[in-house]
């Protein structure tokens, strides 16, 4: 019987040996077709709106060979991915490099990859990750980024301890208020140009029986982010960009009276049913996408919604019959000094010719124009300004180009759960909690995150 | 006589059990409501999803009633009673697409008289309903109540401006779409992901069961030294949470070149499926009568013969139950597929998580994608459900 047991075990061992012997060869075999199956690669060379013919001549492949693979990690998905593919297509066509993208909003996955020693060649992520991975990243100057296309303030944001680690690829200005020109016209309202005018306009709307704001902020476990955006805009109006940068660096604690004042200005609107749909409860419970629809549905429930640029796309999708410019439009938050917004950064973990080609392309004129033509928000690359085909994007790009500065979103920039703390403070304030205590909590998180 | 007795008693029994039946049906309905809601939502056009809840799907549009109340008397039921203001003429209606324009027009006077005469102006909501109704009367496009577009878009992974069918018809499809059957293999569609999920799931179900059957037999019927200790250790391995091993195994795989390959996922699922499978198989095989095996050995059967002639056929219920468990677990797994396969060979769960944009746009596709991914597990479950119950009890009696 023992003999037979041994026999059985040896069969198992042989079987597993065969398995393991087979595996490398088969792995190669399964991998081979995958290069062509990667999303970006399968796409037949489509005539995109990008100025391909003129761009093709100016793309520098930096010695990348046809078939060189660039692995990428980004948090875009859905139609955002579609746009990125359009942008990269000229480079893929010109140099034959193969893009292997991977998409997840879970930053932990990127951390896992980095810790496992297999980071992607390129990651597109938030500005915080520049600091987090600063020891692993290849400086943009080594990769041949064209810095002439970026205003100094952009490069400063991407510079950590003296080296320029991140290339800003996409900006999403948030300092915008969306409204319906038709509705404004029907009631004789005019787009305000100063903060006082905005307050007066809101009061006038209330007097006319209209609800000025749609401030809904429900967004799952990120509930509150539309509120923190609004408060940061108010800070840009009342205190200015230096103050916001002071909050980011930790020089100004979050429980400073200036911040408290901004919360109170916001709270006056956000918790009053006359000023916002549903009052405090409506603000807390209305989804941020629904909040956009409330202004443009028929009949409208509110006159204005403060939301970043993506709102335009949402309106177009939900109400295909509405036209930009007459049925929906936006203006900058009046009186704001500088712009606030989200930004996406490209960081490189490896220095290969294909990565260099990608950096060179995205920072070049051709890359900036492709980005603008694809209409993937606004590119900080100053060469893009001539290539926007979408009116709303052009307007935003001009706002960005004329802006004296760009302050990143506080929650995206300060690490260590600061964003969530900020949202918790807003939720607690609107639910009737003590504002001072809430702000002190956030200030503690801020101090801890920045080691002050 | 006796016949009627039986009938009466069975009727009595039926009514006696009525409360129980009602309670069970009620509970089942409560359990099913979210799924029904998801199903209805997945069949609605995106604009309707964002406008009202799924339970409104069959509600009559309120426009007709409001139209009759405010306009019907003068303009006639089909809107063409007044020749100078023919409401069935698209050119007229085009000027009043929404309540704001409509109300603005109604406030104006006609020949010095209020437009509405003695009638009060409709409320904003009513005006919006009337505007929608007028569009319909003028032959405008009516959004259907139900549509398959969400399913089609999810299947081909469509991310263009409108939806796949309309955009293809207009020739304005997104890049990479051919508008034919080959789009089913688009790497970002659920169609392709379905195949990848199958490739991951089938070996990841068979392998652990195969090994567990060997091991279960060995632990139950082979007499070797330290088998109870070995068995205890193996079963104890169940306490290791797989999340803790992601980084170390990812590192190991990076050295072996297994990251992003199907082999890596098969190996991982096999490894983590093993302790439980072995436990279940050993317990099941251990409950088979000892005499059965002993007489087989006496008749000259080797362990190998006893294994595949006796143990395997008898263990079929346990194997089927294990297969269902393991299949469902691997099929629904996102974490392992995300870490070890990622975007290289996207599986269904990965695709579902990437259907929406980072700002939550496009979630109507999620509902359809969720149903597509539920399809196969449902078939498996209903096909094998009798084994499912039996298998759950397999290890329960004797430990």
């Amino acid at each position: 019987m023992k003999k037979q047991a041994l026999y059985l075990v040896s069969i198992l061992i042989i079987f597993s040996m065969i398995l393991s012997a087979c595996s490398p060869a088969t792995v190669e075999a399964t991998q081979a077709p995958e290069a062509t199956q990667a999303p970006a690669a399968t796409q037949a060379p489509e005539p995109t709106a990008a100025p391909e013919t003129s761009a093709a001549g100016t793309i520098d492949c930096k010695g990348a060979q046809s078939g060189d693979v660039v692995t990428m990690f980004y948090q875009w998905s859905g139609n955002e991915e579609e746009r990125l593919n359009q942008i990269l297509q000229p480079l893929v066509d010109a140099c034959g490099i193969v893009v292997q993208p991977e998409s997840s909003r879970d930053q932990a996955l990127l951390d896992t990859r980095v810790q496992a020693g297999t980071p992607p060649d390129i990651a597109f992520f938030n500005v915080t990750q520049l600091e987090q991975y600063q020891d692993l990243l290849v400086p943009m100057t080594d990769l041949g980024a064209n810095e002439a296309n970026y205003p100094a303030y952009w490069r400063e944001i991407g510079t950590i301890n003296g080296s320029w680690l991140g290339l800003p690829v996409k900006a999403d200005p948030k300092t915008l208020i969306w409204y319906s020109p038709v509705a404004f016209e029907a009631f004789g309202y005019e787009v305000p140009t100063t903060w006082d005018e905005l307050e007066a306009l809101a009061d006038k709307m209330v007097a006319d029986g209209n609800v000025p704001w749609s401030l809904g902020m429900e967004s799952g476990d990120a509930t509150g982010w539309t509120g923190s955006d609004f408060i940061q805009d108010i800070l840009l109006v009342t205190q200015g960009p230096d103050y916001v940068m002071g909050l980011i660096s930790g020089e100004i604690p979050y429980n400073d009276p200036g911040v408290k004042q901004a919360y109170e200005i916001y709270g006056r609107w956000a918790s009053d049913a006359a000023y916002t749909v549903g009052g405090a409860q409506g603000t807390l419970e209305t989804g941020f996408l629904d909040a956009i629809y409330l202004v443009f549905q028929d009949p409208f429930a509110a006159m204005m919604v403060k939301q970043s640029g993506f709102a335009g796309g949402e309106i177009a999708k939900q109400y295909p019959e509405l036209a930009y410019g007459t049925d929906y439009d936006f203006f900058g938050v009046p009186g704001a000094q500088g712009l606030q917004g989200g930004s996406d950064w490209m960081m490189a973990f490896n220095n290969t010719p294909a990565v260099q080609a990608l950096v060179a392309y995205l920072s070049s004129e051709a890359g900036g124009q492709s980005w603008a033509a694809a209409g993937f928000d606004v590119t900080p690359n100053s060469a893009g300004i001539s290539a926007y085909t979408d009116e709303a994007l052009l307007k935003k790009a001009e706002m960005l180009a004329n802006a004296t500065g760009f302050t990143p979103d506080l929650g995206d920039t300060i690490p260590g759960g600061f964003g969530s703390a900020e949202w918790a403070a807003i939720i607690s304030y609107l639910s009737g909690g003590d504002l001072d205590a809430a702000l002190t909590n956030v200030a503690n998180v801020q101090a801890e995150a920045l080691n002050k | 006589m006796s016949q009627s007795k039986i009938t009466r008693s069975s009727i009595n029994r039926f009514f006696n059990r009525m409360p129980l039946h009602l309670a069970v049906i009620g509970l089942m309905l409560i359990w099913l409501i979210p799924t029904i809601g998801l199903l209805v939502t997945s069949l609605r056009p995106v604009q309707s999803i964002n406008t009202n809840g799924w339970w409104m799907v069959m509600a009559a549009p309120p426009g007709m009633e409001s139209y009759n109340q405010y306009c019907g008397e003068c303009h006639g039921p089909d809107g063409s009673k007044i020749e100078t203001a023919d409401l069935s003429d698209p050119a007229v209606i085009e000027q009043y697409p929404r309540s704001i324009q409509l109300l603005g027009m109604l406030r104006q006077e006609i020949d010095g008289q209020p437009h509405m005469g003695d009638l009060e102006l409709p409320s904003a909501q009513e005006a919006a309903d009337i505007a929608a109704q007028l569009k319909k009367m003028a032959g405008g496009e009516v959004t259907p109540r139900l549509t398959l577009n969400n399913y089609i878009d999810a299947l081909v992974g469509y991310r263009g401006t409108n939806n796949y069918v309309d955009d293809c018809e207009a020739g304005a499809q997104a890049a990479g779409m051919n508008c034919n059957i080959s789009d089913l293999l688009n790497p970002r569609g659920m169609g392709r992901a379905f195949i990848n999920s199958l490739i991951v799931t089938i070996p990841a179900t068979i392998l652990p069961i195969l090994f567990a059957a060997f091991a279960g037999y060995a632990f139950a019927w082979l007499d070797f030294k330290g088998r109870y200790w070995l068995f205890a250790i193996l079963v104890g391995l169940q306490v290791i949470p797989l999340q803790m091993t992601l980084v170390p195994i990812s590192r190991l795989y990076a050295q072996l070149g297994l990251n992003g390959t199907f082999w890596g996922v098969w190996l991982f699922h096999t490894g983590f499926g093993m302790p439980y499978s072995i436990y279940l198989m050993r317990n099941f095989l251990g409950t088979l009568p000892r005499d059965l095996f002993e007489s087989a050995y006496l008749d000259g059967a080797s362990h190998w013969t006893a294994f595949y002639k006796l143990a395997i056929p008898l263990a079929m219920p346990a194997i089927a139950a294990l297969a269902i468990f393991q299949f469902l677990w691997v099929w629904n797994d996102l974490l392992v597929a995300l870490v070890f396969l990622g975007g290289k060979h996207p599986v269904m769960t990965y695709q579902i998580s990437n259907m929406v944009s980072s700002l939550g746009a496009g979630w109507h596709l999620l509902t359809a994608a969720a149903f597509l991914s539920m399809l196969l597990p449902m078939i498996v479950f209903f096909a094998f459900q009798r084994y499912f119950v039996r298998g759950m009890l397999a290890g329960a009696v004797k430990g």
Side-chain angles (χ1 to χ4, degrees):
Chain A
M1 217 143 92
K2 251 191 184 150
K3 206 171 157 196
Q4 273 155 346
L6 267 174
Y7 176 61
L8 199 65
V9 168
S10 55
I11 285 180
L12 275 180
I13 289 171
I14 290 166
F15 184 62
S16 61
M17 276 166 86
I18 291 169
L19 258 185
S20 59
C22 283
S23 60
T26 331
V27 165
E28 299 256 314
T30 43
Q31 253 178 353
E34 138 202 319
T36 49
Q37 282 160 4
T42 34
Q43 295 198 351
E46 283 278 327
T48 54
E52 266 184 57
T53 38
S54 65
T58 55
I59 291 176
D60 184 355
C61 292
K62 298 274 179 187
Q65 302 295 313
S66 179
D68 280 2
V69 174
V70 179
T71 54
M72 268 184 200
F73 189 100
Y74 46 74
Q75 48 184 342
W76 300 314
S77 49
N79 54 14
E80 301 159 323
E81 232 180 334
E82 188 75 39
R83 303 234 171 83
L84 184 72
N85 287 338
Q86 278 177 31
I87 293 160
L88 296 180
Q89 197 63 54
L91 177 73
V92 171
D93 290 344
C95 305
I97 61 171
V98 176
V99 177
Q100 264 182 10
E102 184 165 19
S103 165
S104 174
R105 281 184 289 289
D106 200 344
Q107 199 229 319
L109 183 60
L110 182 59
D111 282 343
T112 309
R113 292 263 191 279
V114 172
Q115 282 174 28
T118 53
D121 292 332
I122 294 280
F124 295 93
F125 239 82
N126 302 335
V127 72
T128 347
Q129 272 63 53
L130 292 178
E131 192 159 342
Q132 186 186 346
Y133 302 132
Q134 53 175 306
D135 299 331
L136 300 166
L137 296 176
V138 186
M140 284 297 140
T141 37
D142 294 358
L143 295 167
N146 183 0
E147 53 184 284
N149 280 337
Y150 295 89
Y153 65 81
W154 275 114
R155 273 177 283 138
E156 272 165 32
I157 300 173
T159 301
I160 310 287
N161 291 337
S163 64
W164 184 27
L165 295 179
L167 188 72
V169 290
K170 179 167 95 67
D172 182 18
K174 291 177 174 176
T175 316
L176 310 176
I177 294 171
W178 293 82
Y179 72 108
S180 162
V182 182
F184 265 46
E185 203 181 307
F187 289 95
Y189 301 144
E190 275 175 25
V191 170
T193 50
T194 65
W195 185 260
D196 290 341
E197 278 180 32
L198 179 67
E199 290 199 323
L201 177 64
D203 293 339
K204 188 159 178 263
M205 287 171 176
V206 172
D208 290 346
N210 289 319
V211 176
W213 292 107
S214 170
L215 296 173
M217 55 157 76
E218 192 277 325
S219 175
D221 53 5
T223 297
W225 65 266
T226 60
S228 67
D229 283 1
F230 205 141
I231 286 165
Q232 193 170 339
D233 283 337
I234 296 173
L235 284 174
L236 285 177
V237 173
T238 56
Q239 311 288 339
D242 293 339
Y243 185 87
V244 175
M245 293 315 278
L247 285 169
I248 290 175
S249 69
E251 281 160 39
I252 300 168
Y254 200 78
N255 51 359
D256 188 78
V259 178
K260 190 180 174 189
Q261 184 203 12
Y263 269 76
E264 282 164 352
I265 293 174
Y266 173 74
R268 191 170 72 84
W269 283 335
S271 55
D272 186 341
Y275 282 90
T276 183
V277 182
Q281 201 183 2
T283 303
L284 289 169
E285 289 173 5
T286 309
F288 70 97
L289 286 175
D290 293 335
I292 301 171
Y293 304 146
L294 285 177
V295 177
F296 300 97
Q297 71 187 26
D298 192 18
F300 59 82
M303 300 293 283
M304 300 183 283
V305 56
K306 203 215 80 71
Q307 188 51 275
S308 58
F310 78 91
E314 286 308 310
I315 299 163
K317 179 120 189 163
Q318 175 69 12
Y319 305 107
E321 73 278 9
L322 296 189
Y324 171 74
T326 53
D327 293 315
Y328 65 98
D329 202 346
F330 64 89
F331 53 89
V333 170
Q337 307 159 53
L339 283 182
Q340 180 238 146
S343 49
D344 288 272
W345 296 76
M346 177 162 99
M347 50 204 88
F349 287 93
N350 293 315
N351 188 350
T352 66
V355 169
Q356 287 182 15
L358 187 66
V359 171
Y361 169 67
L362 284 182
S363 62
S364 71
E365 278 168 29
Q369 285 169 358
S370 290
W371 199 286
F376 192 12
D377 278 333
V378 178
T379 171
N381 185 329
S382 55
I385 194 88
S386 59
Y388 289 98
T389 51
D390 182 308
E391 269 180 84
L393 281 179
L394 180 62
K395 190 167 161 185
K396 271 190 276 178
E398 278 167 351
M399 282 173 68
L400 186 66
N402 299 332
T404 45
F406 190 82
T407 48
D409 184 282
L410 282 175
D412 287 351
T413 317
I414 302 174
F418 177 82
S420 316
E422 212 182 355
W423 303 331
I426 293 169
I427 295 171
S428 120
Y429 173 49
L430 288 184
S431 317
D434 179 33
L435 182 56
D436 288 312
L439 293 181
T440 309
N441 275 342
V442 188
N444 290 340
V445 176
Q446 178 199 23
E448 206 172 299
L450 302 167
N451 299 320
K452 292 271 164 182
Chain B
M1 193 64 199
S2 63
Q3 183 116 28
S4 72
K5 232 178 204 168
I6 289 166
T7 334
R8 194 177 299 155
S9 75
S10 64
I11 289 175
N12 277 346
R13 204 163 23 161
F14 178 76
F15 278 107
N16 284 341
R17 287 196 180 169
M18 198 65 155
L20 180 72
H21 287 292
L22 283 180
V24 168
I25 291 170
L27 274 176
M28 266 168 50
L29 276 181
I30 292 170
W31 271 102
L32 275 179
I33 280 175
T35 321
I36 295 169
L38 200 65
L39 179 67
V40 174
T41 305
S42 73
L43 289 166
R44 300 183 75 198
V46 52
Q47 284 85 8
S48 321
I49 294 178
N50 287 330
T51 315
N52 54 29
W54 59 270
W55 53 91
M56 300 289 279
V57 66
M58 284 299 151
M64 196 67 213
E65 204 178 303
S66 299
Y67 173 83
N68 286 336
Q69 187 186 342
Y70 291 99
C71 324
E73 202 177 310
C74 301
H75 287 277
D78 62 346
S80 56
K81 200 168 160 189
I82 306 174
E83 260 177 52
T84 48
D86 186 355
L87 298 186
S88 55
D89 179 6
V92 175
I93 295 309
E94 233 171 49
Q95 303 167 38
Y96 315 110
R98 288 158 77 83
S99 62
I100 261 197
Q101 292 96 337
L102 190 70
L103 280 173
M105 184 266 296
L106 292 178
R107 281 196 196 97
Q108 285 165 11
E109 297 187 337
I110 305 171
D111 303 333
Q113 296 291 318
H115 184 129
M116 301 285 294
D118 300 334
L119 283 173
E120 257 181 61
L121 277 178
S123 71
Q125 182 61 54
E126 283 163 337
D129 295 341
I130 293 172
Q133 177 67 22
L134 288 177
K135 261 185 242 168
K136 263 185 236 168
M137 288 166 57
E141 211 176 296
V142 183
T143 32
R145 280 169 198 272
L146 297 174
T147 169
L148 278 177
N149 277 336
N150 298 339
Y151 283 90
I152 297 169
D153 285 8
L155 260 182
V156 300
Y158 195 67
R159 270 93 200 247
T161 40
N162 216 320
N163 62 59
Y164 179 74
V165 176
D166 289 355
D167 283 2
C168 270
E169 252 171 41
Q173 70 271 24
M177 287 288 161
N178 310 320
C179 290
N180 57 32
I181 193 84
S182 67
D183 288 342
L184 275 180
L185 288 180
N186 177 32
R188 274 176 295 154
M190 294 296 280
R192 176 62 163 276
F194 183 81
I195 296 171
N196 283 339
S197 274
L198 275 184
I199 297 177
V200 168
T201 311
I202 292 174
T205 308
I206 293 176
L207 283 177
I209 293 176
L210 184 73
F211 292 134
F214 288 144
Y217 179 83
F219 281 124
W221 299 110
L222 287 186
D223 202 14
F224 58 91
K225 220 178 174 186
R227 69 171 166 159
Y228 288 109
W229 276 108
L230 205 55
F231 183 64
I233 290 169
L234 263 178
V235 172
L237 283 177
Q238 281 188 82
V239 301
I240 296 178
L242 72 87
Q243 288 85 346
M244 275 186 54
T245 63
L246 289 179
V247 170
I249 290 187
S250 195
R251 266 189 208 189
L252 196 69
Y253 277 9
Q255 285 167 6
L256 299 172
L258 286 176
N259 263 338
T261 67
F262 286 119
W263 287 93
V265 200
W266 292 338
L267 202 61
F268 193 91
H269 279 306
T270 307
F272 275 90
M274 211 85 99
Y276 179 70
S277 309
I278 291 176
Y279 172 71
L280 202 99
M281 285 307 289
R282 188 236 164 264
N283 281 359
F284 190 87
L285 292 174
T287 57
L288 297 176
R290 173 168 284 275
D291 303 346
L292 204 62
F293 285 91
E294 275 174 358
S295 52
Y297 300 143
L298 279 178
D299 286 346
S302 65
H303 274 298
W304 185 244
T305 321
F307 174 70
Y308 76 90
K309 287 247 166 94
L310 262 183
I312 289 294
L314 287 171
M316 255 339 193
I319 289 175
L322 253 186
I324 293 174
F325 274 129
Q326 181 73 7
F327 178 87
L328 288 180
W329 154 248
V330 177
W331 186 266
N332 289 331
D333 161 77
L334 172 67
L335 185 66
V336 177
L338 187 65
V339 173
F340 294 110
L341 278 181
K344 275 192 185 164
H345 303 285
V347 296
M348 286 192 116
T349 44
Y350 176 87
Q351 286 307 17
I352 292 176
S353 74
N354 277 344
M355 273 293 152
V356 287
S357 78
S358 57
L359 287 158
W363 67 269
H364 58 287
L365 296 181
L366 275 186
T367 54
F371 263 90
L372 286 173
S373 101
M374 271 158 68
L375 215 58
L376 190 67
M378 293 235 272
I379 293 171
V380 168
F381 186 81
F382 285 119
F384 291 100
Q385 59 161 333
R386 60 203 182 96
Y387 293 113
F388 193 65
V389 179
R390 259 202 259 170
M392 288 220 285
L393 300 173
V397 183
K398 213 170 174 187

